[in-house]
């Protein structure tokens, strides 16, 4: 994918990953694989803040990009949804919306056009209600 956004930082730190707390780790991993085409590269169990966790990490979708990890606390259910928004860019927002619905997700509102940014935008809820913002940039 061509470089679509400027990059940079003012300190020696790079944003490298995000994590979503989920209830059904395997089920949610399947959703993100089916809808967004993410590829697993790690499964890890450990302690975080004294609590046992299980997590699945997906590869970045382009060289140097950030990764997405789905994480589950093993001693309780996940926190309420709405704690984050994951952003995805696609070249076919209608097809992505159809895949999301077929995989148990929901289109939170109709796909809309944002002329000021030259893009189309959709908000896709995964089967547990986590929010994913999907954009399709205009060509050129």
């Amino acid at each position: 994918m061509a470089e679509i956004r400027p990059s940079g930082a003012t300190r020696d730190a790079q944003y490298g990953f995000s994590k979503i707390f989920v209830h059904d780790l395997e089920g949610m991993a399947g959703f993100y694989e089916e809808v967004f085409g993410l590829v697993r590269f790690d499964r890890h169990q450990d302690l975080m803040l004294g609590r046992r966790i299980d997590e699945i990490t997906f590869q970045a979708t382009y060289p140097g990009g950030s990764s997405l990890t789905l994480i589950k606390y093993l001693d309780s259910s996940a926190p309420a949804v709405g704690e984050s928004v994951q952003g995805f860019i696609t070249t076919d927002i209608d097809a992505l919306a159809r895949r999301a619905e077929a995989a148990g997700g929901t289109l939170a509102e109709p796909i809309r056009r944002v002329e000021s940014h030259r893009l189309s935008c959709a908000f896709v809820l995964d089967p547990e209600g986590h929010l994913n913002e999907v954009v399709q940039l205009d060509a050129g």
Side-chain angles (χ1 to χ4, degrees):
M1 178 178 281
E3 190 64 35
I4 57 172
R5 294 184 170 205
S7 59
T10 62
R11 300 283 187 255
D12 181 23
Q14 294 180 342
Y15 179 74
F17 60 89
S18 59
K19 296 185 178 189
I20 303 172
F21 285 94
V22 298
H23 298 280
D24 176 3
L25 186 59
E26 280 298 329
M28 296 305 295
F31 176 84
Y32 282 85
E33 289 166 334
E34 176 62 29
V35 175
F36 299 106
L38 299 184
V39 177
R40 295 182 198 205
F41 82 91
D42 187 48
R43 177 80 180 251
H44 179 74
Q45 293 186 353
D46 207 338
L47 291 176
M48 185 167 85
L49 304 174
R51 297 173 71 183
R52 292 191 57 228
I53 60 164
D54 189 5
E55 59 185 18
I56 294 172
T57 300
F58 297 100
Q59 297 176 17
T61 57
Y62 57 91
S66 60
S67 63
L68 176 64
T69 298
L70 303 180
I71 183 171
K72 176 178 178 50
Y73 282 123
L74 297 178
D75 64 358
S76 68
S77 62
V81 297
E83 76 284 1
S84 67
V85 177
Q86 305 307 309
F88 291 89
I89 300 171
T90 184
T91 58
D92 190 342
I93 200 166
D94 294 309
L96 190 144
R98 286 191 300 273
R99 286 194 310 272
E101 291 175 330
T106 306
L107 202 57
E109 57 189 39
I111 296 170
R112 65 184 175 95
R113 183 79 189 137
V114 183
E115 287 298 338
S116 62
H117 285 72
R118 299 182 56 212
L119 59 82
S120 295
C121 178
F123 293 99
V124 174
L125 300 175
D126 70 22
E128 290 187 2
H130 300 283
L131 183 59
N132 296 278
E133 183 174 351
V134 181
V135 298
Q136 178 179 327
L137 304 170
D138 288 354

